[in-house]
Amino acid sequence: MSAKKFHSSLTLPVAISLAIHVGIILVLALGALDFFTKKLETPEPAAAAPVQAVLIDQQKVAAAAEKIKQEKRDAERREQLRQEELERKADEARKAREQEQARLKQLETERKQKEIETQKAIEEAKRKEEQAKQAADKAEKERARKESERKAAEEAAKKAEDKRKAEEAAAKKAEEERKRKAEEERKRKEAEAKRKAEEEAKRKAEAERKRKAAEEAARREQELADMMAAEQATINAARNRQLVSERDRYTAMIKATIQRNLVVDESMRGKSCKMFIRLASDGFVTTAEAREGDGVVCRAAKAAITKAGRLPVSPEPEVYQLMKEINLTVQPEI
């Protein structure tokens, strides 16, 4: 607390206390003055009496003044203690605030650290997922081999189970033989053996259940993959048939266009020419070459193609890819 606030909080109580004490002193002073006046006006039998009365009144005034001073000192002391208590509480509040700020800073640091750890965990999970995928692919390749091994393991497990049962029967018989000599010990060991056997059986059963579940999941996944592959193959085959059909249809249209523009005469009867044609995506003929056949027919076919300028082409890009370079035989229809 500042000196100004301290002085302000101290002034009011001290002023009140001083006012009260001054009032008491004035009352006492007035009473003493009245007393002296009466003594002067009244004849006294002896000279020693007024001196004694004045002395007694002065002692009372001094005592009252001392009491007032003591009360003032007590008030000041109480006020000082109150101010010290306020300062102590303010200091405690400041320290508590600083501790809270430090705690919040620590929490923020921990939050950032957790964010870093979370990011690392995500990256690690992705890496493990990729490893698991690779392991699953590898496991699928070895599935057929492991299936054979599984059957052999099941047979071995059955033999082991039969052996265990036989051993348990022998142990039980031996335990019955020892019953006469150590009944309590036999019961304890039998209970322990039974508990371990049950735990082992449960463990094997759980392992077998998990193994079968994993195999069933792998089998279903493979069946789904096979089904999807077969479906895709069917779709692709249908699409290929459709594309080939479209290619053949447009090829027939190209032949019909060439026939319409082909100038023929009787000498071409029964003759043909194999042509190589390269087309742009809009059907524009960029190349028309005679590869094999009758020269007259080849020249007429090339002239017919040139006259047409553009030949029918499918607007579908996949069909165009199949027919952008075609080889066809031109045979005049006479």
Side-chain angles (χ1 to χ4, degrees), residues 38 42 83 86 93 111 123 134 166 234 251 278 302 313:
K38 288 180 181 180
T42 306
Q83 293 301 324
L86 290 175
R111 183 187 66 77
E123 293 175 356
Q134 294 175 359
T234 302
T251 300
R278 183 178 290 113
K302 187 172 183 179
V313 175

Side-chain angles (χ1 to χ4, degrees), residues 33-34 80 90 103 109 112 122 135 150 154 174 192 216 250 256 258 297:
L33 181 61
D34 184 62
Q80 183 179 359
R103 187 182 70 83
T109 302
K112 290 181 179 179
I122 293 172
R150 182 187 64 80
E154 287 180 352
E192 182 68 16
E216 179 64 16
Y250 276 92
I258 294 172
V297 175

